[in-house]
Amino acid sequence: MSNGDIFVGEIIGTAILILFGAGVVAAVVLNYSKAKDAGWVVIALGWGFGVMAGAYTAAPLSGGHLNPAVTLGIAVDTGEWDHVPVYIAGQLVGAMLGAVLCWLVYYAQFQANAEEDIAQPTLGIFSTSPAIRNPVANLVTEIIATMGLVLPILAFGLTKGLGESGTAILIVSFLVVGIGLSLGGPTGYAINPARDLGPRVVHALLPIPNKGTSDWGYAWVPIVGPLIGGALSGLVFNVAF
């Protein structure tokens, strides 16, 4: 794969991931959305379908990492670092693009947020925040949850039939749903630095009425935690398998 293919593939795939993922959160939380209050299970399924759509789309060009933690875990395991910066750059650009597309889809609902009687913070549509703000506990949660993603992804590569049949991405999508349902409660399961940072930047820049803070004081946790989790996954996989 060329650097150009990787960059374009990761932009497109990650944009689709964020469009679906941020989109389902917007659908559930924004006033005047037909899916208002649909609940956590719907959010977990939406993110899983976003992974499926984005990864299948990007796979022919880049392999469909869509996540710096996955890219880092693979690099730590294989020792191949040449394409890592290109992957991460594409993922960040794609995450920002996907966040903008989500804003456009729900533009009318975001504008309705200007009405004082229904005003609500909007950061949770774009990025994660903890249910209980405890940086150490939040960091540990993100590390463990990311290992729950990256280590199985690396192990799936050992099953030859999954890659040949094209079902590996489908299984990863179900894995993301499972992580959301089981491990998402404490921090909102970023498990992906690009997925959190790119949309957080977009949230800070977009002219969303009454949008509230972008919470930059917490932003390091969903970046550092998944990167540590991805690196540890690569190390564990390399030693154990």
Side-chain angles (χ1 to χ4, degrees), residues 178-194:
I179 291 171
L181 295 176
S182 299
L183 307 176
T187 62
Y189 70 115
I191 60 174
N192 181 338

Side-chain angles (χ1 to χ4, degrees), residues 9 30 71 74 90 109 152 227:
L30 284 175
T71 300
I74 292 172
Q109 282 72 28
L227 289 177

Side-chain angles (χ1 to χ4, degrees), residues 72 139 143 146-147 223-233:
L72 181 60
L139 184 68
I143 291 171
T146 305
M147 292 187 72
I223 296 173
V224 174
L227 289 177
I228 293 174
L232 288 176
S233 297

Side-chain angles (χ1 to χ4, degrees), residues 1-11 58 60-63 86-87:
M1 293 179 286
S2 69
N3 282 336
D5 284 346
I6 291 170
F7 187 64
V8 171
E10 292 297 295
I11 288 175
L61 290 172
S62 66
V86 180
Y87 270 103

Side-chain angles (χ1 to χ4, degrees), residues 22-36:
V24 73
V25 180
V28 170
V29 305
L30 284 175
N31 291 297
Y32 303 121
S33 164
K34 291 182 179 292
K36 173 72 173 173

Side-chain angles (χ1 to χ4, degrees), residues 198-216:
R200 195 181 298 268
V201 171
V202 169
H203 177 267
L205 296 176
L206 285 176
I208 301 172
N210 294 324
K211 65 182 176 182
T213 176
S214 297
D215 197 8
W216 290 105

